[in-house]
Amino acid sequence: MITARSRRRRGWHLRIMPVPAPAFLAAAWLVLIALAGLDAGPAQAASPDPVDLALVLAVDVSDSIDDGEFRLQRQGYAAAFEDPRVTDAIALGAHGRIVVTLMHWASASEQRQVLGWTQIADREGARAFAALVATAPRTAFPGGSTSLSGAITGALWLFETGGYKGARRVIDISGDGINNNGRPPEFARDEAITAGVTVNGLAILSDDLLLERYFEARVMGGPGAFVVTVDSSAAIAGTLVVKLVREIAGLSLPLPEAQLAGAFPLAGSGQAR
């Protein structure tokens, strides 16, 4: 089990007060990420082959993530891609292939594409990607705060530059804390919804037992969006297999219509979650 601990935050590394309405808001933030934060990994040309899904694995490496939690995420995703149920789900798609990339994130201007867009169409490809995930070192960011909004915006930039605009697009974002840097996460989430992108969440429950509700209210969004939780290393591999199968197959399971506004007041205009 992950033990509770005091979080080490560095406050607001980048103070930008959002103006919710202007049409240029999304473009401005994409430019900010391009100029100030998103360190692209090795360049990889987009394949001309059609794919069923373009998936961004957005992994939290902010200061609140200790080494154990980082290994939890890394080993969990690697084990999930080793599972044959994931490749079985890929095979059921119209094209029988997906593309996936791995991004580390922390503050609003701190995102790095660790693994370039990788096509997976069979178990051999899935195992090769799993091996890359399992050995990818942690990115050390100087800011270290937690910006879920920055992570979503950085992932949207990867979609724009990856060449897979015709595919269904999903951001798979993990984290163990609420947004404490950059603009509110629902602003970026609403931009993702407008762009036709689904944002799903993996909430790592350590100090904040209400984190799942926070993700549901302010992070997840788009067609079929959902949040899963994990609080032990024993559970994460199985949880991520189910999560990836749902994302690959595009499954939408009914979620309770809970009134979350009381605990986490919603801002922005997004209604589809």
Side-chain angles (χ1 to χ4, degrees):
M1 298 290 292
I2 298 172
T3 57
R5 66 195 182 285
S6 298
R7 295 182 180 278
R8 181 165 59 92
R9 303 289 190 189
R10 296 188 182 179
W12 290 78
H13 177 64
L14 178 65
R15 292 187 61 89
I16 298 179
M17 300 303 294
V19 180
F24 60 80
L25 185 60
W29 273 87
L30 288 176
V31 170
L32 175 62
I33 293 298
L35 295 179
L38 186 56
D39 177 12
Q44 179 171 330
S47 168
D49 297 331
V51 298
D52 298 302
L53 172 70
L55 175 65
V56 175
L57 303 178
V59 172
D60 185 359
V61 295
S62 62
D63 281 356
S64 65
I65 296 289
D66 61 25
D67 289 340
E69 286 180 336
F70 173 71
R71 289 192 297 270
L72 181 77
Q73 296 175 91
R74 183 174 67 179
Q75 294 169 1
Y77 279 114
F81 277 97
E82 290 269 10
D83 194 289
R85 288 171 291 182
V86 171
T87 45
D88 288 346
I90 294 172
L92 291 175
H95 303 297
R97 66 179 66 88
I98 68 171
V99 288
V100 59
T101 185
L102 174 66
M103 182 187 80
H104 289 171
W105 63 271
S107 303
S109 61
E110 294 175 327
Q111 299 87 35
R112 181 173 183 267
Q113 187 181 21
V114 178
L115 299 177
W117 287 107
T118 303
Q119 187 175 124
I120 300 175
D122 52 30
R123 292 188 182 179
E124 182 180 355
R127 288 169 180 161
F129 182 75
L132 293 174
V133 172
T135 57
R138 178 174 184 161
T139 302
F141 288 123
S145 297
T146 301
S147 181
L148 290 156
S149 57
I152 295 171
T153 303
L156 290 176
W157 179 261
L158 292 179
F159 287 131
E160 289 298 315
T161 59
Y164 294 98
K165 294 183 180 180
R168 184 165 51 86
R169 295 172 293 170
V170 173
I171 301 169
D172 183 329
I173 184 168
S174 64
D176 76 336
I178 67 173
N179 198 90
N180 67 3
N181 179 261
R183 59 183 179 156
E186 58 268 29
F187 286 19
R189 178 207 61 200
D190 291 350
E191 291 166 5
I193 293 172
T194 299
V197 174
T198 295
V199 183
N200 296 327
L202 170 66
I204 302 171
L205 304 181
S206 50
D207 295 345
D208 190 349
L209 297 180
L210 295 178
L211 189 62
E212 179 182 11
R213 290 170 61 85
Y214 181 89
F215 268 58
E216 289 175 344
R218 304 183 66 176
V219 179
M220 71 175 239
F226 62 94
V227 174
V228 298
T229 63
V230 63
D231 61 3
S232 73
S233 58
I236 191 169
T239 298
L240 287 177
V241 168
V242 174
K243 188 173 193 290
L244 287 171
V245 167
R246 286 184 63 181
E247 290 169 338
I248 292 166
L251 297 176
S252 176
L253 303 181
L255 296 175
E257 295 294 330
Q259 296 297 319
L260 302 174
F264 304 107
L266 298 179
S269 57
Q271 298 298 323
R273 291 193 303 279

